[in-house]
Amino acid sequence: MDRFPYTLTDPIGSAATLGLIVLQVDETIEQDFRRLFAAPDIALYVSRIPSGAELTPDTIAQMAIDLPQAASLLPPAASFDVIGYACTSGTTLIGVDQVAQLVGGNATTQAVTNPLTATIAALTALNVTSVAIVSPYIASVALPICKAFLDAGFDVPATLSFGEEVEANVARIDPAAIHAAALEVGRTPGVEAVFLSCTNLRTLDIIDDLERQLGMPVISSNQALAWHMAQTASVEVATDTHGALLRL
């Protein structure tokens, strides 16, 4: 068989190459990221990490063990501008520095981020000092997230959780219920912004209406992570995206 001559060209991500490590049970963030990073010159590569059917401190601890392999399954020939570990609660319980070490030590990347770091950066960029939190988690997962924001110097006047442990249900929580919960905590005196915590919640399409009704920024895990990755890689998210954060 004759060999036909060819040449090699540049990588697909001529503007940026992004990596995303997604929980095995997450059905939402990839859909959001396809909308937020629609430009053809932005390459987005996704790896999955085993995460268990239920989100508990024990299953999160196991993710710390599995993170290196998940990172190593991203394309080894790619040189990433940034890799995001797409789990808010996992980052909180594993620790930001350890997540960065476990991911960065097993893939070629200039930076590592996560929804917790991204949201703190987003609140700072929006000049917010007080945030209310809506999450789907059970108490043992929700409380450390609240503490993480307190430790970062933010006031947390109100929190609300759906108390859901089964991740398959989290992806199917009606956005109308998330909307109602955000309105409730957002109307607490002293609140300056609302954070919708969890990459598996379907929040992208309710952010604009919430901001109109509350008159304050509304930030979701997926929106913040996409914004922070875009900032880090010096690219833009899609122009029809949602929320005050993405209009900065």
Side-chain angles (χ1 to χ4, degrees):
M1 182 176 66
D2 294 334
R3 293 185 60 185
F4 193 83
Y6 66 93
T7 58
L8 298 178
T9 188
D10 294 331
I12 294 171
S14 57
T17 300
L18 312 178
L20 195 64
I21 299 174
V22 178
L23 272 60
Q24 180 182 2
V25 291
D26 194 314
E27 300 177 46
T28 305
I29 191 168
E30 283 174 276
Q31 317 308 320
D32 288 352
F33 267 49
R34 288 191 185 103
R35 296 167 60 185
L36 294 168
F37 292 111
D41 57 356
I42 299 176
L44 176 66
Y45 298 104
V46 178
S47 180
R48 290 273 176 169
I49 182 170
S51 53
E54 299 176 348
L55 190 65
T56 67
D58 288 341
T59 57
I60 291 171
Q62 180 60 43
M63 279 195 281
I65 298 172
D66 294 331
L67 252 179
Q69 183 179 16
S72 72
L73 290 175
L74 289 164
S79 180
F80 291 92
D81 294 280
V82 57
I83 296 174
Y85 168 53
C87 186
T88 318
S89 54
T91 299
T92 304
L93 294 180
I94 296 169
V96 169
D97 291 341
Q98 187 175 3
V99 166
Q101 179 180 355
L102 293 172
V103 174
N106 292 276
T108 303
T109 184
Q110 296 182 40
V112 176
T113 189
N114 60 79
L116 178 62
T117 298
T119 301
I120 289 171
L123 293 172
T124 301
L126 291 164
N127 296 313
V128 167
T129 61
S130 172
V131 60
I133 301 173
V134 174
S135 78
Y137 313 119
I138 58 174
S140 58
V141 178
L143 291 175
I145 290 177
C146 178
K147 183 178 183 300
F149 283 94
L150 291 170
D151 290 345
F154 297 94
D155 293 328
V156 185
T159 63
L160 191 154
S161 177
F162 298 117
E164 181 56 68
E165 191 172 38
V166 179
E167 279 286 342
N169 291 340
V170 171
R172 288 162 180 76
I173 292 175
D174 193 329
I178 305 167
H179 188 282
L183 288 179
E184 181 171 327
V185 296
R187 288 169 175 156
T188 302
V191 170
E192 298 175 0
V194 175
F195 173 45
L196 309 176
S197 179
C198 184
T199 61
N200 211 6
L201 285 178
R202 291 155 60 183
T203 60
L204 199 60
D205 291 319
I206 63 174
I207 290 173
D208 275 341
D209 186 67
L210 284 170
E211 290 190 338
R212 281 192 294 267
Q213 293 199 45
L214 291 171
M216 64 180 64
V218 175
I219 298 169
S220 75
S221 289
N222 294 357
Q223 173 214 42
L225 183 59
W227 171 80
H228 200 233
M229 291 176 69
Q231 292 280 307
T232 303
S234 299
V235 293
E236 295 183 358
V237 292
T239 56
D240 60 346
T241 50
H242 312 281
L245 175 64
L246 300 184
R247 293 190 289 269
L248 286 179

